[in-house]
Amino acid sequence: MLFFTQCFGAVLDLIHLRFQHYKAKRVFSAAGQLVCVVNPTHSLKYAPTRCAAAQASTEQGILPPCHHHEVVHDPQLVPCTCPLFSCPWEGHLEVVVSHLRQTHRINILQGAEIVFLATDMHLPAPTDWIIMHSCLGHQFLLVLRKQEKYEGHPQFFATMMLIGTPTQANNFTYRLELNRNQRRLKWEATPRSILECVDSVISDGDCLVLNTSLAQLFSDNGSLAIGIAITTSKAHSSEAEM
C-alpha cells in the first residue's frame, strides 16, 4: 500500500507539472516565447552565507578570526553562487555553470526571450525559485525569492545575475515584465555580477520588488509568470559599431 501510495503521489505531481506547463504554453506561445516552469525550493540554510556573513562582519567592524594554520584560498576561486544551500564548493568562474547544473540540478533555458513561471507562490517564506538563462553567449542566473523583509510582511524579490565579471555585466540590460488582466509592470536594469552576493542585492532592494497584494494581481492560480528579455546595453552596442 505504501508503494502504491508513493507512486500515485508522484503521478499526481507529474500531472500537475504538465498542466502548469501546458497552461503557460497556451498563454505565451503566441508571442513565440519559451516557457520554463520552476518549482519552489525551501532553502536548507537561510543561515547567512559566507559572503553575507563577511559583509555583516565588515559593517560591524569585526574582522574574521585569524588562525595560524588557516589555509589561504586562491583569490581567483569563487564560492558557490547558489542561494539555496550552504555549499562549501569553490572553483573558478569558468566552471560555476557546470557546478550549478550537476550539483544543484538547476535548469538552463536558451533563447532571447523566455517566460519564468514560478509555481506555488502561496508557500511561506523563505522560498526560492531559480533558473539559468543562456543568451548572447553568456549565462545568467535568475533568482526569485519570497522573504520577510519585515516580520509578518513577505515580499517577492526578483533579480538577474550574470555568471561573469562586473565589467561583463555592464555590457547587458535585462528586463522583467509582468503582464496580466490588462496590467503591465516592467523592471529594467543592468544585471549584477555573480561575484556579488545575491543576498546583498536583495537586501539593497536593487531588483524587482513585489508585495503580496501586488504579486496576487499578476498571479494565476498561485503561479507567477515573469517575462525575461536580455539585450546588449546601448553604450556597448555603439562601441561595437565603431
Side-chain angles (χ1 to χ4, degrees):
M1 288 295 295
L2 179 61
F3 172 77
F4 284 110
T5 301
Q6 291 177 343
C7 289
F8 185 68
V11 170
L12 287 180
D13 291 340
L14 181 59
I15 292 175
H16 174 71
L17 181 62
R18 295 290 295 179
F19 174 74
Q20 293 284 353
H21 188 262
Y22 170 76
K23 184 170 61 176
K25 287 186 66 176
R26 184 181 59 187
V27 173
F28 296 102
S29 59
Q33 294 174 311
L34 298 174
V35 178
C36 183
V37 179
V38 184
N39 292 321
T41 301
H42 283 282
S43 174
L44 298 182
K45 60 173 185 67
Y46 273 108
T49 58
R50 282 177 292 174
C51 55
Q55 182 183 11
S57 298
T58 303
E59 292 174 352
Q60 297 173 6
I62 303 174
L63 296 178
C66 178
H67 302 284
H68 293 291
H69 300 288
E70 184 177 2
V71 178
V72 178
H73 294 284
D74 186 343
Q76 295 183 346
L77 294 181
V78 179
C80 177
T81 55
C82 183
L84 303 178
F85 307 101
S86 293
C87 178
W89 179 89
E90 287 185 332
H92 290 278
L93 190 60
E94 294 79 10
V95 294
V96 169
V97 173
S98 59
H99 169 74
L100 293 176
R101 296 197 66 183
Q102 296 173 9
T103 303
H104 299 296
R105 305 297 181 186
I106 295 177
N107 294 327
I108 186 168
L109 201 62
Q110 299 183 3
E113 296 187 8
I114 65 174
V115 174
F116 178 96
L117 185 66
T119 65
D120 300 323
M121 301 294 294
H122 61 278
L123 291 178
T127 305
D128 286 329
W129 295 259
I130 181 171
I131 62 165
M132 284 191 291
H133 182 190
S134 179
C135 181
L136 301 174
H138 289 77
Q139 283 73 41
F140 301 82
L141 193 70
L142 177 68
V143 178
L144 174 65
R145 176 173 298 173
K146 185 177 183 180
Q147 180 174 313
E148 288 189 357
K149 197 165 186 179
Y150 305 101
E151 186 176 357
H153 299 280
Q155 293 177 301
F156 294 90
F157 304 86
T159 186
M160 181 74 76
M161 312 285 288
L162 171 72
I163 302 179
T165 65
T167 302
Q168 291 174 322
N170 288 333
N171 295 328
F172 299 95
T173 299
Y174 76 94
R175 185 181 73 246
L176 304 179
E177 181 174 340
L178 305 175
N179 190 355
R180 185 173 182 271
N181 291 337
Q182 299 180 343
R183 299 180 180 88
R184 179 173 294 181
L185 179 64
K186 290 184 180 181
W187 167 268
E188 187 170 290
T190 299
R192 303 282 284 270
S193 168
I194 203 68
L195 298 178
E196 305 176 58
C197 290
V198 175
D199 294 338
S200 64
V201 174
I202 291 177
S203 62
D204 293 342
D206 186 16
C207 55
L208 174 64
V209 183
L210 304 172
N211 58 32
T212 304
S213 59
L214 190 58
Q216 289 176 349
L217 287 176
F218 290 98
S219 65
D220 181 17
N221 291 327
S223 297
L224 185 68
I226 303 177
I228 306 170
I230 301 176
T231 57
T232 54
S233 62
K234 294 180 181 179
H236 179 66
S237 300
S238 300
E239 292 175 0
E241 291 175 0
M242 293 176 64

